[in-house]
Amino acid sequence: MFEKRFNLEVIAPQQVMYEGEVTTVRAPGVVAPFAVLAGHTPFLSLLEVGEIILRDPSPSTPLPEVEGSKPQYMAISGGILEVLRTGVTILVETAEWADEIDVSRAQSAKERAQQRLARQTPEIDVQRAEAALARALNRLRVAQHAGGFG
Ligand code: ATP
């Protein structure tokens, strides 16, 4: 079945991560993850730490309407998504495509945060350590989609 397309922009502080047509985008809404398809009613949602999954129309596929396209995964650490009649804009605090994630860096960040949380001395900022742990765990999860295994 032919899937309708819409325009998506994903913008991080230092760079435009994606700009182009997609058939769906999934995002980690603060209430719950959700998907947007073409023609969705305009709305605004805050995003939490999680993954953005988009499907582009895959022009390299001979029959995109039959084959569909591979999902592309991006780790984000929160942001805001706006659906307008003209398309969808996502502003994110940080973002990495699955292939770009430095797994050993995320692993170190995870261990650092876990050690801080285990110590729980007065000078440890628990909320900050929990947020760092959530970002690291998210990156490790999203990195599993690197290498084209969708
Ligand atoms: P770290 O302690 O390793 O810096 P962090 O969660 O504190 O992790 P952030 O403040 O969320 O890092 O991100 C800072 C910048 O570094 C952002 O541009 C983000 O995209 C990038 N970044 C953070 N961790 C990774 C990673 N594991 N792989 C690739 N880029 C990363």
Side-chain angles (χ1 to χ4, degrees), residues 77 94-96 100-103 105-106 109 112 132 135 139:
S77 55
T94 68
E96 306 91 42
E100 296 171 354
I101 293 171
D102 179 339
V103 171
R105 176 174 167 181
R112 226 169 26 246
R135 291 194 299 275
R139 288 181 173 121

Side-chain angles (χ1 to χ4, degrees), residues 62-83:
L63 290 171
E65 66 276 21
V66 175
E67 299 283 332
S69 60
K70 270 192 6 188
Q72 299 180 46
Y73 290 79
M74 187 191 292
I76 66 158
S77 55
I80 187 163
L81 175 148
E82 185 174 28
V83 180

Side-chain angles (χ1 to χ4, degrees), residues 15-56:
Q15 59 178 321
V16 176
M17 297 293 290
Y18 187 90
E19 191 171 20
E21 289 191 320
V22 296
T23 54
T24 59
V25 61
R26 289 179 184 277
V30 288
V31 177
F34 61 86
V36 178
L37 298 169
H40 200 293
T41 309
F43 79 108
L44 195 68
S45 173
L46 290 175
L47 304 180
E48 61 181 16
V49 171
E51 61 188 14
I52 287 179
I53 310 170
L54 60 89
R55 284 179 185 271
D56 65 27

